[in-house]
Amino acid sequence: MAFSIVVSAEGMVQPCEQTPSDMLHLSVIDTLPSLQFNVGTVHVFRHGPPDEEAAKVIKEALAKALVPYYPLAGRIKESTQGGQAQVQVACTGEGVWFVQASAHCTLLDVNYVDGDGEPLIPHQDFLPHYPPITLGFDPVVLIKVTQFKCNGFIVGLITHHCVADGLGAAQFLNAVGELARGMQQPSIAPLWCREAIPTPPRLAYSAGDRKLPKLPAFELETGCVDISLDRINQIKQQHLQLTGRTCSTFEIVVASLWICRTRAINFVVDTEVKLMFFANGRRLLNPPLPEGFYGNCVYPLAIKASSGAISRASLSEVVTLLQKAKKRSRKDFSQWIDSGLPDPFAPYIYSNLFISEWNRLGFNQVDYGWGPPLRMIPTQGPKFPVALILALPKPNTGIRLITWSLEGTHLPYFMDEMMKIYHPF
């Protein structure tokens, strides 16, 4: 059966009221070269109103949300002042690119865009295309709403990472949802507040070099592992009995991923492997950032070890490494800023692995009036080894691990190793 998506309308959605025409500075974290990319996510809602009303409701709420979130209706501007490169947001009020579409099938027909292997409709088809170059406008935010015959719908979102991190993007969508449900204003007032991020006296990278360096030609394949809450709790109990200490779901999943990936690749003995994950720095600043801040305030926690040590390690041993790294987070955060914010991903090599936890960002709470999403699907960002931790699609409970961190020859061995841990029987 062939499935198609038809675009019925597209255009800019502007703030519904007059907004300031400021020129706002971004923080030094916002302008990190490794954060200069667009992030795409797909949000699947099982229930919605008939006759494509979801798009209409969301579009009207979006125009209201862009009043307090007016920087998102502007554009990113690069300039040179005093011989120094400056990156700012010009608050032009030009708006967000909005696409309305329909699919001539039900969500059930396409298995709620879920399943093993390639989905029946590629995830990219639910993301908005960019506006015609003739408009001369590169939006900070793009949204596409696709209505299905069952009245369910999918929201495709693209945001530029330098203006909002994952927590910030989820905060914005939740504000749109609240206004769609009839609230007069968002429950959390957005704050720009980028000046609260300390600027180091010297940057570890050139202020004029905001682009990612040319990346190696990795041929990374998609891997997906679903992990039940029952199995996670069993492993937590085993760790407690063995060490006398509790551990988190995140620590278990990350430890197993690092061990299994290292074993699958089978690095040359004593190859250095590095694990990196972003921690929320909002509470680590003094004073902490206020509620409502939606910019980037993340920093990389990194753990280095030899490939042989990680391949031979038990889950509990690697969990302990993670816990030690998290305990030194406040100190490491200060040192990272003081040292000029060196690129957290460099060098861009196969032995380095980056992990991001997405199931706590707040996307699963967005409600436009017909209930929260069934699931949220990330689309691949930068082309270096990365893994994302998400929640299993409802009504299941547990974790879905999606990884673009292994080349094709290594992926089957990785899946086998993960199955030994999470599906041993």
Side-chain angles (χ1 to χ4, degrees), residues 160-352:
H160 198 295
H161 208 310
C162 78
V163 176
D165 63 8
L167 287 166
Q171 178 182 305
F172 171 63
L173 279 194
N174 272 289
V176 176
E178 289 175 337
L179 295 171
R181 300 197 309 271
M183 293 180 60
Q184 295 303 305
Q185 59 186 12
S187 59
I188 298 176
L191 296 174
W192 187 255
C193 204
R194 308 300 165 103
E195 69 281 357
I197 305 292
T199 300
R202 179 190 62 83
L203 287 175
Y205 62 93
S206 169
D209 182 13
R210 294 181 56 249
K211 304 299 182 184
L212 272 171
K214 186 176 181 180
L215 301 180
F218 296 127
E219 296 182 1
L220 303 174
E221 301 289 338
T222 303
C224 180
V225 181
D226 289 348
I227 307 169
S228 71
L229 187 60
D230 287 343
R231 182 59 181 149
I232 290 172
N233 288 334
Q234 288 175 2
I235 297 175
K236 284 183 179 180
Q237 186 62 32
Q238 291 168 1
H239 179 79
L240 178 61
Q241 293 172 350
L242 184 64
T243 67
R245 298 187 300 271
T246 60
C247 64
S248 69
T249 298
F250 173 82
E251 290 160 357
I252 290 171
V253 174
V254 171
S256 62
L257 166 63
W258 200 20
I259 291 170
C260 294
R261 180 179 187 267
T262 306
R263 290 175 180 170
I265 296 173
N266 193 23
F267 290 104
V268 175
V269 176
D270 292 332
T271 297
E272 182 180 83
V273 291
K274 183 165 73 169
L275 176 76
M276 295 161 288
F277 55 93
F278 273 147
N280 183 7
R282 287 163 168 79
R283 293 167 293 180
L284 301 180
L285 288 171
N286 188 18
L289 287 175
E291 184 182 41
F293 176 86
Y294 59 98
N296 290 280
C297 190
V298 292
Y299 83 102
L301 272 173
I303 307 171
K304 299 177 182 179
S306 73
S307 57
I310 297 302
S311 293
R312 294 187 298 269
S314 67
L315 268 178
S316 287
E317 288 170 335
V318 177
V319 164
T320 300
L321 287 178
L322 291 167
Q323 291 177 334
K324 288 180 178 179
K326 291 165 75 173
K327 283 182 179 179
R328 64 174 191 262
S329 60
R330 189 176 299 275
K331 178 181 177 182
D332 284 0
F333 183 48
S334 297
Q335 290 179 344
W336 182 57
I337 291 178
D338 292 343
S339 62
L341 288 80
D343 187 342
F345 299 101
Y348 295 86
I349 55 180
Y350 196 43
S351 56
N352 288 354

Side-chain angles (χ1 to χ4, degrees), residues 352-385:
N352 288 354
L353 172 64
F354 170 67
I355 298 172
S356 183
E357 186 177 22
W358 283 38
N359 59 330
R360 296 180 181 272
L361 296 179
F363 287 116
N364 59 341
Q365 301 166 1
V366 176
D367 183 353
Y368 300 106
W370 310 283
L374 180 69
R375 61 189 298 241
M376 185 269 284
I377 307 163
T379 58
Q380 188 174 9
K383 306 293 185 180
F384 50 82

Side-chain angles (χ1 to χ4, degrees), residues 39-59:
V39 181
T41 52
V42 172
H43 310 255
V44 182
F45 292 82
R46 185 194 297 267
H47 304 293
D51 301 325
E52 301 188 6
E53 285 295 309
K56 178 182 177 181
V57 171
I58 293 171
K59 184 177 181 180

